[in-house]
């Protein structure tokens, strides 16, 4: 994780941006480097400021959060996007994950959970609230498929499954490597194989598929 986590807050409500800044900056290692009022401004500021994490609302006038997330991930894939929104319906959830969001939080999240999520995402982790995860899994089961029209999942090796279980719990590559006694590069290689076999392109998509297929004993 960067020594100083630089965060850009994108939300169309001034009071929400101000309150979010105050919460995040309670932690000395978090610095809010900018605020955007819509998706277009969020994309522009990301290019100017190159934050570690963009905290993104979804329902904004003009360019919405999903489109902004997609553009940010296409142009600056190293920037992590964490969605913070009031929207918990299936379509927003699926579209945000497809766009490349590393996590999805609802605005009723506790202050300490928001701070922990930002720090986790900055380190490469994936963050899903339990309520959001349950909704995603239920939606996947109803749809009878994965997030995209990908081929059926290929069998994973035991080691790939171990890595995926830890990733689905929100651990970063470094934390996974520490728990399994592997190098970070080896963890990255296993994840690359997992993505290819499952037909997904992000940690969050892989985590959701793991939950759908009942590969996790519990969600922590």
């Amino acid at each position: 994780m960067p020594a100083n986590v630089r965060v850009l807050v994108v939300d169309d409500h001034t009071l929400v941006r101000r309150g979010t800044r105050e919460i995040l900056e309670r932690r000395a290692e978090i610095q809010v480097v900018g605020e955007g009022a819509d998706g277009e401004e969020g994309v522009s500021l990301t290019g100017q400021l190159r934050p570690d994490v963009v905290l993104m609302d979804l329902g904004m006038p003009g360019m919405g959060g999903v489109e902004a997330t997609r553009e940010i991930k296409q142009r600056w894939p190293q920037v992590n996007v964490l969605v913070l929104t009031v929207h918990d319906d299936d379509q927003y959830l699926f579209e945000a994950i497809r766009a490349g969001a590393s996590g999805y939080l609802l605005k009723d999240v506790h202050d300490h959970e928001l701070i922990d999520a930002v720090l986790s995402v900055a380190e490469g982790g994936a963050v899903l609230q339990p309520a959001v995860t349950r909704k995603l899994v239920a939606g996947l089961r109803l749809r009878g498929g994965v997030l995209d029209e990908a081929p059926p999942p290929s069998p994973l090796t035991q080691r790939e499954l171990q890595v995926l279980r830890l990733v689905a719990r929100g651990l970063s590559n470094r934390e996974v490597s520490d728990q399994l006694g592997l190098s970070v590069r080896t963890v990255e290689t296993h994840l690359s194989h997992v993505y290819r076999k499952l037909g997904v392109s992000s940690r969050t998509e892989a985590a959701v598929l793991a939950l759908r297929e009942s590969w996790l004993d519990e969600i922590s």
Side-chain angles (χ1 to χ4, degrees), residues 14-208:
T14 303
L15 287 177
V16 172
R17 295 197 306 271
R18 186 178 302 160
T20 301
R21 173 190 285 270
E22 290 176 357
I23 291 169
L24 294 179
E25 290 189 337
R26 293 173 190 169
R27 289 291 290 267
E29 64 267 45
I30 297 179
Q31 177 188 7
V32 177
V33 296
E35 299 178 16
D38 55 39
E40 187 174 0
E41 188 174 13
V43 172
S44 176
L45 288 173
T46 298
Q48 295 174 35
L49 302 172
R50 302 299 173 90
D52 301 301
V53 177
V54 177
L55 197 58
M56 181 74 72
D57 187 22
L58 294 183
M60 297 179 288
M63 179 186 287
V66 170
E67 185 179 352
T69 296
R70 184 177 297 111
E71 185 165 344
I72 287 169
K73 294 302 294 184
Q74 287 174 348
R75 296 173 65 177
W76 305 285
Q78 76 280 7
V79 175
N80 299 293
V81 179
L82 175 60
V83 170
L84 179 65
T85 183
V86 297
H87 298 289
D88 66 348
D89 57 280
D90 291 353
Q91 192 59 36
Y92 274 110
L93 293 171
F94 285 106
E95 289 298 326
I97 290 174
R98 285 196 193 101
S102 297
Y104 198 109
L105 300 176
L106 300 179
K107 285 184 176 176
D108 61 359
V109 67
H110 294 297
D111 294 1
H112 69 90
E113 292 174 324
L114 175 59
I115 291 170
D116 289 346
V118 167
L119 295 175
S120 177
V121 166
E123 200 173 16
V127 177
L128 293 172
Q129 282 177 281
V132 171
T133 301
R134 287 192 293 270
K135 195 170 185 66
L136 279 167
V137 174
L140 284 169
R141 285 174 176 155
L142 286 173
R143 292 170 181 228
V146 295
L147 296 178
D148 293 305
E149 295 180 1
S154 301
L156 301 177
T157 67
Q158 185 62 34
R159 181 61 84 184
E160 289 165 355
L161 188 54
Q162 289 176 330
V163 170
L164 181 54
R165 281 175 173 153
L166 295 176
V167 165
R169 293 187 173 102
L171 273 66
S172 67
N173 289 354
R174 170 62 64 185
E175 290 169 330
V176 173
S177 72
D178 290 343
Q179 286 215 17
L180 297 181
L182 304 172
S183 70
V184 173
R185 183 172 294 276
T186 299
V187 171
E188 291 171 347
T189 298
H190 284 311
L191 281 176
S192 177
H193 293 163
V194 168
Y195 295 166
R196 175 176 53 80
K197 289 181 178 181
L198 300 186
V200 301
S201 59
S202 74
R203 304 168 72 88
T204 310
E205 285 181 293
V208 170

